[in-house]
Structure formats: structure tokens, C-alpha cells
Amino acid sequence: MPVAANFEISETPIPSPQEGELLVKSLYISVDPYMRSRMSDAKSYVPSFELDKPLDGGVVAEVIESRHPDFVKGDTVLGHLQWKEVQTVGATAMTKIDKSVPLSYYLGILGMPGLTAYFGLNEIGKPVKGETVVVSGAAGAVGMVVCQIARIKGCRVVGIAGSDDKNAYLKDVLKVDEVINYHTEKNMKAAIARTCPDGVDVYYDNVGGEISDAVFANINKFARIILCGQISMYNNTEVPVGPRPQPLMVKKSALMQGFIVSNFSDRFGEGIQQLAKWLGEGKLTYQETIVEGFEKLPETFLGLFHGKNTGKLLVKM
Ligand code: NDP
């Protein structure tokens, strides 16, 4: 488990933007579980962070000086930036964003986590009205949106999260049918059987490990298992050996598929449009955990692995 002492905050001079560049000031910096995998030299779909260099990720920023004709001072932009208060960036790497929705939404429900929920559930899970959908990490940025889309599709939804407060939110506000607190539940396999009397048709897996083993044991014929994330293992130094689910997958003619949201990048416009429409119609609701202060970035990021957040976790400058 990384600790705050693995991070360092340093001061450097503010550079001047060159031709074609912008000088931007960070407004919201996203902290995401995938960043943990980048704190290692293992090969992955994103490059590793480098020692003694700033981390980077999704940032909403304001233009404070522009040397590109398409941008002016005061524009708000979204892009992949370093964890810095102020920095220069090539203007073409930035997308101008509309201030009519809360700016933080571009890093959450109308950004990467929202799109992950939308494409993972619809394209791999293919939920059908009346089916049972189980969601792990249900009160997080991705899980919360998955639960609601599954409800919009007319499914029975069972959410798994790590506290009674999170589960109360899932039940009372998001109208999830059943919830399980995996920290207090003694027998997860029995809990899934109890909350899913007709078995599990779709499992949206954000966490992996023993929680997922318990869900697998309850799948129906032709179940679809969406491997979105495995946060329970991101701090492991060795892959634990668990039940090997392949014989069950054969027996149940089940599908298990992993994905990375960028697989659907050519359809992001469609996803954002649909999520924004549901938000506007009140069919989707949304929660964020926003921590203030640049210096809070390390401990806020680490909070992801201790369940500190409900909904999307962000740092506001
Ligand atoms: P969340 O907002 O869900 O935050 C992480 C949550 O995970 C915590 O709040 C905590 O909630 C839970 N958690 C932490 N440690 C454990 C553990 N050991 N066992 C079970 N649950 C744990 O993060 P995101 O919504 O941003 O991401 C959710 C998952 O989706 C992650 O695995 C992430 O890597 C993945 N992801 C995948 C993408 C893709 O393209 N495939 C894109 C984006 C995210 P609790 O209190 O309930 O334990």
C-alpha cells in the first residue's frame, strides 16, 4: 500500500507559453485507481509514472495565457495534464469545455468514469429488462453510474459496497433493489444467493478477488461478466490464486470479457450525449467527493484504496 511519504511536492519556475501553447491553471485534478498500476514498472496499456517526475492524469483547467488562435484567456479546457498548479501545454492536446454543466462532471459522469460505465455495461453486459445485474464497487464513480443505467434498462440491481452509508445512498437515492456490505457480510456467496433469488445474469466487476468469486458462484446460464477493474488486487505484489472459474464458465455458457474504455473512443460523443440526456431528464443522479487543496492530492489519491469516497473523487485547487 503506498503512503503519502512516497510523494513529494516541489516548486519550479512557471514557464512562458511558446507559439501554439497555452499557459493553464488547474481547477480540478482527477485521482483514479488505474494510477496505482502506473506506480510500477510492469508493462500496461498506459506508461508507468517516472520517479521524481510529476504524475499526470485528467485535469480541468483554465487558460490564463494563450498563444493559439482557437483559445483565449478564461476558456476552460479538459485534457491529460501533469499534477501541477500551473503549466504550459500544446493547445491541440486540450478540448474546450462548456461551462453550462459543473466543470467537475467532465472528469466524472460526463468523462472517463461515466463512459466506462456506459460502454462496459451496454456493449459487454447487454442488459435485458427483468435480468439481475450485480455491481461491485457500486458506490464509486463508475459503479454508481452502472447501477443507474441498469435500472434505466429495467433490470433488478444488486450493489456491493464497503459501508452502510454508501449502501444507504445506493438504496435510498439511486433506488438499487438490494445492497451488500462486503465488510460486514460473513458469507458473500450466501449473500449473493439471498439477494439474487433468480441468479446473476450480468456482473459488472470493479473490484475482483473474493467478492467476485462469490458472485461467479451464483451466475445463470449465458451470464455476462464485465471485467472493468480489479482494485482489490492493485496493491498486491503477487497475484493470489483463487478458484479457477473456467469450468463454471463452460457449464454456464458464460461470457467474461475485459475492456479498456478507450476501446470505444470513436463513440465517446454518443456516450456523452446519452449520459447528458439522462442527467437532464433526471434519470441519472450523481455524487462526488471533492477535496480542496493541491497539497491534498497524495492522501486523496490513496483514499481510493481505503474506500474514502462516495462517487467520483476529485481534488479542487
Ligand atoms: P471508485 O470511485 O469506485 O473508487 C474506488 C473504490 O473501490 C473505493 O471507494 C472502495 O469502495 C473500493 N475498494 C477499494 N479497495 C477495495 C478492495 N480491496 N476491495 C473491494 N473494494 C475496494 O473508483 P472508479 O469508479 O474510478 O473505478 C472503479 C474500478 O473501475 C477500478 O477498479 C478501476 O480501476 C476501474 N476502471 C476501469 C476502467 C477501464 O477502462 N476498464 C476505467 C475506469 C475505471 P468501498 O468502500 O466500496 O470498498
Side-chain angles (χ1 to χ4, degrees):
M1 189 69 78
V3 293
N6 298 132
F7 295 78
E8 183 184 88
I9 293 183
S10 62
E11 288 191 23
T12 53
I14 296 176
S16 297
Q18 304 300 304
E19 195 58 39
E21 286 188 337
L22 309 172
L23 181 68
V24 299
K25 177 176 80 173
S26 299
L27 301 177
Y28 291 97
I29 297 184
S30 180
V31 293
D32 296 276
Y34 81 92
M35 293 169 169
R36 175 64 185 90
S37 326
R38 297 183 65 190
M39 296 171 77
S40 122
D41 56 9
K43 248 192 151 156
S44 180
Y45 60 96
V46 271
S48 301
F49 291 127
E50 288 180 63
L51 287 175
D52 301 322
K53 298 254 176 73
L55 283 79
D56 55 75
V59 176
V60 166
E62 183 181 314
V63 176
I64 47 180
E65 190 182 336
S66 171
R67 294 201 58 198
H68 189 283
D70 295 347
F71 294 83
V72 294
K73 184 172 185 272
D75 280 345
T76 38
V77 291
L78 170 71
H80 200 92
L81 288 172
Q82 292 183 326
W83 284 15
K84 286 182 174 176
E85 291 179 297
V86 176
Q87 61 198 289
T88 53
V89 60
T92 51
M94 293 286 101
T95 306
K96 228 187 270 191
I97 54 175
D98 174 8
K99 293 180 194 170
S100 65
V101 291
L103 293 175
S104 56
Y105 281 26
Y106 291 100
L107 297 171
I109 189 137
L110 298 179
M112 189 269 279
L115 292 166
T116 302
Y118 179 84
F119 287 109
L121 181 65
N122 290 331
E123 298 303 317
I124 302 171
K126 299 188 186 343
V128 174
K129 190 175 175 191
E131 286 188 328
T132 297
V133 177
V134 175
V135 186
S136 59
V142 174
M144 188 174 278
V145 182
V146 174
C147 288
Q148 295 182 83
I149 299 177
R151 292 262 313 139
I152 292 170
K153 300 276 171 188
C155 297
R156 191 166 174 284
V157 182
V158 177
I160 306 171
S163 80
D164 290 342
D165 283 349
K166 291 185 184 189
N167 280 344
Y169 177 80
L170 290 172
K171 254 203 133 158
D172 301 341
V173 181
L174 304 190
K175 307 296 176 202
V176 162
D177 297 276
E178 294 280 355
V179 288
I180 301 170
N181 178 340
Y182 73 92
H183 281 311
T184 54
E185 187 60 56
K186 297 253 172 352
N187 183 337
M188 278 300 289
K189 193 171 150 185
I192 303 287
R194 182 182 75 237
T195 52
C196 305
D198 298 328
V200 178
D201 300 298
V202 177
Y203 173 43
Y204 196 105
D205 185 13
N206 283 314
V207 308
E210 290 175 8
I211 293 173
S212 295
D213 295 341
V215 182
F216 294 164
N218 288 281
I219 58 170
N220 287 335
K221 193 166 182 197
F222 299 127
R224 284 85 69 201
I225 294 161
I226 306 144
L227 298 182
C228 174
Q230 301 283 294
I231 195 168
S232 72
M233 289 190 269
Y234 293 174
N235 293 297
N236 287 6
T237 47
E238 280 170 32
V239 179
V241 177
R244 295 193 165 91
Q246 291 88 337
L248 184 68
M249 301 287 133
V250 174
K251 256 194 266 175
K252 298 287 183 179
S253 304
L255 171 85
M256 183 189 276
Q257 189 179 334
F259 79 105
I260 300 299
V261 63
S262 55
N263 298 355
F264 299 97
S265 55
D266 57 338
R267 292 177 56 197
F268 278 0
E270 165 205 324
I272 291 169
Q273 214 175 3
Q274 180 60 75
L275 291 163
K277 185 165 179 281
W278 282 330
L279 261 179
E281 293 168 350
K283 290 182 178 162
L284 269 187
T285 171
Y286 189 51
Q287 178 152 336
E288 300 167 312
T289 302
I290 298 181
V291 176
E292 288 201 32
F294 182 80
E295 69 289 353
K296 297 278 176 59
L297 268 165
E299 68 186 72
T300 306
F301 164 65
L302 298 174
L304 285 168
F305 306 98
H306 303 285
K308 293 273 169 69
N309 60 307
T310 302
K312 177 65 194 149
L313 186 58
L314 295 164
V315 174
K316 185 176 184 211
M317 296 305 110

